[in-house]
Amino acid sequence: MQTTAQDNSQAILIEDKALPAAKCEECGAKIYPRSLLQPHLTRHQRRQRWFMKELRKLQYTMARMRDMA
């Protein structure tokens, strides 16, 4: 994923002011200020790792249930 501000820049309009923002390519959220884009991407990665961990546990449980039957 690219985190360069030039490629992902959008503007958030607040009280007739255009504030430069970064756009998350994964979810499409506009992040202001741009410095918060990296922590936002880190949350996506952490959530994906959690999801994969839970999926592995479920797959293991289902395999054991199949073997017992």
Side-chain angles (χ1 to χ4, degrees):
M1 239 191 247
Q2 294 178 349
T3 58
T4 58
Q6 294 88 4
D7 296 336
N8 299 330
S9 64
Q10 295 287 333
I12 296 176
L13 297 173
I14 298 177
E15 296 179 8
D16 298 328
K17 292 182 183 177
L19 303 172
K23 185 174 181 183
C24 176
E25 291 181 5
E26 192 163 333
C27 67
K30 292 180 186 175
I31 309 297
Y32 176 82
R34 290 179 180 162
S35 61
L36 294 178
L37 180 61
Q38 191 58 43
H40 178 81
L41 295 174
T42 302
R43 280 193 296 274
H44 279 300
Q45 292 169 350
R46 189 170 49 230
R47 181 173 291 167
Q48 183 66 24
R49 284 193 306 264
W50 172 84
F51 179 76
M52 294 306 292
K53 180 181 168 186
E54 292 296 315
L55 184 60
R56 269 186 253 120
K57 286 196 279 186
L58 182 60
Q59 289 171 337
Y60 175 76
T61 302
M62 295 300 287
R64 285 191 60 200
M65 289 173 66
R66 256 185 258 130
D67 291 342
M68 293 174 76

